[in-house]
Amino acid sequence: MYSPKDLGKADYISLNIHDTASFARGTSRSLWRQWNQLSRFQRNTIYFAAITIPLIIFYLLPGETKNAILDSSKDYDSLKEIQDTPKHEKAVEELVVDNIDQGGGAGGGEVIEEPEFQPEVNQVDDDQIGEPPQPKPNALKFNGPQNNRQRSVVTAFKHSWNGYKKFAWGHDNVKPISGGYHEWFGLGLTIVDSLDTMYIMGLNDEFTDARAWVENSLVFTLNRDVNLFEVTIRVLGGLLAAYHLSGDKLFLDKATDLGDRMMPAFLTKSGVPFSDVNLGTRSAHSPKWGPDSSTSEVTSIQLEFRDLSRSTGQPKFEAAAAKVSEHVHQLEKFDGLVPIFINANTGQFRDSATITLGARGDSYYEYLLKQWLQTGKLINYLKDDYLLGIQGTQKHLTRRTAVNQYLFIAELIGASKDLKPKMDHLTCYLGGTLILGVHHGLPLDHQDLANEIVRTCYQTYAIQPTFLAPEITYFNIQSRTFQKSEDENQMDMYVKTNDAHNLLRPEFIESLYYMWYFTGNKTYQDWGWQIFQAFENYTKVENGYTSIGNVRNIYNTRPRDMTESFWFAETLKYLYLLFDDSRQLIDLRRWVFNSEGHPLPMYES
């Protein structure tokens, strides 16, 4: 046993074992001193190598190995959640809730929460139907008016816009005489409807102001019923067109919110949507006036809902709207013609309803053609139904006047289908639709029909002292046996007092634009200029342009103190495009206009 004193003298072997922490600290300090002795260039080189070499190694690994590495990093619970997510094949069928209250009339619809959808991601070939593509917007640049006629139209737009901004900013419509506004849906219709018109006209300051309002003030939470069709073509269509033309995703985000809130309208057993929807409560019901929806309204929302799906990658919008077209396709028709009312609960037409290409029937035929074009001409039943509708029109609805043999489109009334020699101004869209179809390979004789309809519609303007067409025109088809006054007996067409108003409608200007675009015949431009001058002479007021109550008397036009949003969205836009001498502003091989004049892109499938 050694004493403490002896320990200092004893021979021994010392094992120097480093403490782990002490060793790490020493090593760390040593490495840090060596690192600091390196130049900045040497340190940057090491940084670069440390990042690049692992990436190169990972890139050179076989695909299976990379996939295994990626898969191993996923959390098991996340994978299980993905596996448990239901497929989207039957998204529309899942919208239908068992034992739902289908009561018609105002307030008859139960508030139904819209189900959450998980879009299915399908790995499919290009020629198969899978998840909608999400194309980048076709952002376009416009340089403003290029000639005096276009400049005049822009001046008219700015005159109307200034009145709207002064008296009705943020509201639906301006009352330009009294300096007030009219509220319909509370969605700033004039602003949203005008977005793409301002963009096309190069009105950048006005467009910027409107965009700011959309960003900060356009909300869809108001507890208020709106019309599914009108909001779809004006607001949804306006937002989507602004998105595609400008490339600004703000408009797509707003459109997506709106589309989600309108989906409850499709919660019917038939799939035919209710006409009215409350965006705030997400409930829907039949219109106040009865159990039926307008045929044109439920069949003229497909362009917009399909484009929303293609733009967002969410199939539910296109699926719901396309199901309506497929359902109507299966219904029995009168040689391709459809009654103007359809019941959302039963999914059946009202057999005794009028057949017309005017109000409540018009855009059914228009959207058959335009859906076919929008989807790359691949959905054949759309084209077939359109062709049958035009064939039925030629067989049952076309008639000629007694004096000058003007061709017009009549109506069939009631179950007996008695012919009524009456044509709405709305029907004047048909000439443009027909020649659009001819340009895309449909029968050449459709162009002859288009020429005749456009000629007749021009006469509804030209025979009036104001050079403005009435809302409805009646036609003399019985020559000397016609049981009217001698004056009316000598005329091809006449107007009833209650139908003599002009609402600044766009349909004939729209057809003139298509005729000019596809033929290059300047006569159509000249006709449009005559009508524009009539608007200037008889509808222009201090703070804009107003609808008038009487086109038959230049001294008593009875101004109505109202500017509809389609004046901005369609009438002035189509005039501006009509006066485009280059015919290049909008390429009608790539774009299709919705029923409110908003251009949407065509797709290859």
Side-chain angles (χ1 to χ4, degrees), residues 402-432:
V403 182
N404 289 299
Q405 295 294 296
Y406 293 127
L407 182 144
F408 67 96
I409 310 296
E411 297 180 352
L412 300 179
I413 308 299
S416 62
K417 295 183 173 51
D418 294 332
L419 188 133
K420 190 173 187 178
K422 160 186 173 288
M423 188 171 80
D424 296 347
H425 181 272
L426 291 168
T427 308
C428 289
Y429 83 92
L430 185 59

Side-chain angles (χ1 to χ4, degrees), residues 75-139:
D75 182 78
Y76 172 79
D77 291 334
S78 297
L79 283 172
K80 189 174 187 304
E81 179 181 352
I82 294 173
Q83 292 166 354
D84 291 342
T85 299
K87 296 297 184 180
H88 187 71
E89 294 174 349
K90 298 184 178 179
V92 179
E93 286 79 356
E94 292 169 3
L95 280 170
V96 181
V97 180
D98 291 338
N99 300 319
I100 179 176
D101 178 10
Q102 299 287 344
E110 179 182 349
V111 178
I112 304 165
E113 292 296 327
E114 180 188 353
E116 291 291 330
F117 289 104
Q118 296 294 332
E120 178 184 3
V121 179
N122 296 319
Q123 298 298 323
V124 296
D125 297 330
D126 291 340
D127 59 346
Q128 292 178 319
I129 298 176
E131 180 172 309
Q134 300 178 53
K136 294 181 180 179
N138 299 290

Side-chain angles (χ1 to χ4, degrees), residues 276-295:
D276 292 0
V277 60
N278 188 308
L279 303 179
T281 64
R282 302 187 186 228
S283 62
H285 55 78
S286 300
K288 296 177 181 179
W289 45 263
D292 296 334
S293 298
S294 297
T295 302

Side-chain angles (χ1 to χ4, degrees), residues 165-200:
K165 193 170 183 181
K166 182 177 180 180
F167 296 112
W169 184 250
H171 298 285
D172 288 336
N173 303 111
V174 64
K175 301 178 76 172
I177 297 175
S178 61
Y181 61 83
H182 171 260
E183 205 73 290
W184 190 9
F185 302 137
L187 296 175
L189 289 182
T190 293
I191 294 177
V192 183
D193 238 356
S194 301
L195 286 166
D196 55 352
T197 301
M198 291 184 286
Y199 194 82
I200 290 170

Side-chain angles (χ1 to χ4, degrees), residues 319-583:
K323 183 178 178 181
V324 182
S325 291
E326 292 162 4
H327 172 81
V328 174
H329 166 64
Q330 298 295 333
L331 296 178
E332 184 178 354
K333 305 174 183 67
F334 181 66
D335 285 341
L337 302 174
V338 296
I340 61 174
F341 292 119
I342 186 170
N343 189 293
N345 295 315
T346 66
Q348 298 299 309
F349 291 127
R350 188 199 298 175
D351 289 336
S352 60
T354 295
I355 289 177
T356 177
L357 270 65
R360 303 188 185 277
D362 50 357
S363 49
Y364 162 73
Y365 307 94
E366 174 191 2
Y367 268 44
L368 287 173
L369 173 66
K370 290 183 175 180
Q371 284 187 81
W372 179 64
L373 297 179
Q374 182 192 37
T375 54
K377 304 180 183 178
L378 296 179
I379 305 179
N380 288 329
Y381 82 81
L382 294 169
K383 178 188 68 173
D384 295 341
D385 284 356
Y386 170 75
L387 292 174
L388 284 174
I390 300 305
Q391 183 178 347
T393 298
Q394 292 172 306
K395 179 178 180 180
H396 297 290
L397 303 183
T398 55
R399 292 292 187 275
R400 293 187 180 275
T401 62
V403 182
N404 289 299
Q405 295 294 296
Y406 293 127
L407 182 144
F408 67 96
I409 310 296
E411 297 180 352
L412 300 179
I413 308 299
S416 62
K417 295 183 173 51
D418 294 332
L419 188 133
K420 190 173 187 178
K422 160 186 173 288
M423 188 171 80
D424 296 347
H425 181 272
L426 291 168
T427 308
C428 289
Y429 83 92
L430 185 59
T433 298
L434 286 166
I435 197 168
L436 175 65
V438 171
H439 177 73
H440 285 279
L442 298 188
L444 290 177
D445 69 302
H446 286 193
Q447 183 162 347
D448 296 332
L449 181 59
N451 291 336
E452 296 228 53
I453 292 172
V454 168
R455 174 173 173 253
T456 301
C457 286
Y458 174 74
Q459 289 300 318
T460 66
Y461 284 80
I463 67 170
Q464 301 302 333
T466 57
F467 215 94
L468 291 173
E471 182 73 359
I472 297 172
T473 300
Y474 284 81
F475 298 86
N476 175 8
I477 59 175
Q478 300 185 38
S479 189
R480 299 295 178 184
T481 63
F482 189 63
Q483 300 300 312
K484 288 290 179 181
S485 69
E486 184 65 21
D487 288 341
E488 287 181 343
N489 203 31
Q490 300 302 313
M491 296 188 298
D492 283 302
M493 53 192 79
Y494 63 96
V495 180
K496 296 182 178 181
T497 301
N498 291 337
D499 304 325
H501 49 285
N502 182 288
L503 304 182
L504 309 175
R505 285 202 185 275
E507 286 76 22
F508 183 53
I509 307 298
E510 174 186 359
S511 282
L512 289 179
Y513 163 60
Y514 282 107
M515 298 298 286
W516 157 246
Y517 185 94
F518 290 121
T519 70
N521 186 339
K522 291 182 179 294
T523 296
Y524 301 117
Q525 287 185 309
D526 294 338
W527 286 358
W529 183 248
Q530 287 178 296
I531 295 169
F532 176 72
Q533 292 300 310
F535 284 133
E536 289 284 307
N537 292 334
Y538 299 108
T539 71
K540 187 175 183 179
V541 294
E542 182 178 356
N543 293 300
Y545 294 76
T546 180
S547 302
I548 61 175
N550 183 16
V551 300
R552 301 182 299 176
N553 189 333
I554 62 175
Y555 303 108
N556 183 27
T557 59
R558 300 202 301 270
R560 289 189 161 193
D561 193 20
M562 174 62 69
T563 309
E564 300 282 353
S565 68
F566 53 66
W567 166 252
F568 300 86
E570 298 184 81
T571 308
L572 291 174
K573 179 190 291 156
Y574 283 129
L575 281 166
Y576 185 81
L577 294 173
L578 173 62
F579 300 143
D580 169 31
D581 292 327
S582 70
R583 292 182 286 165

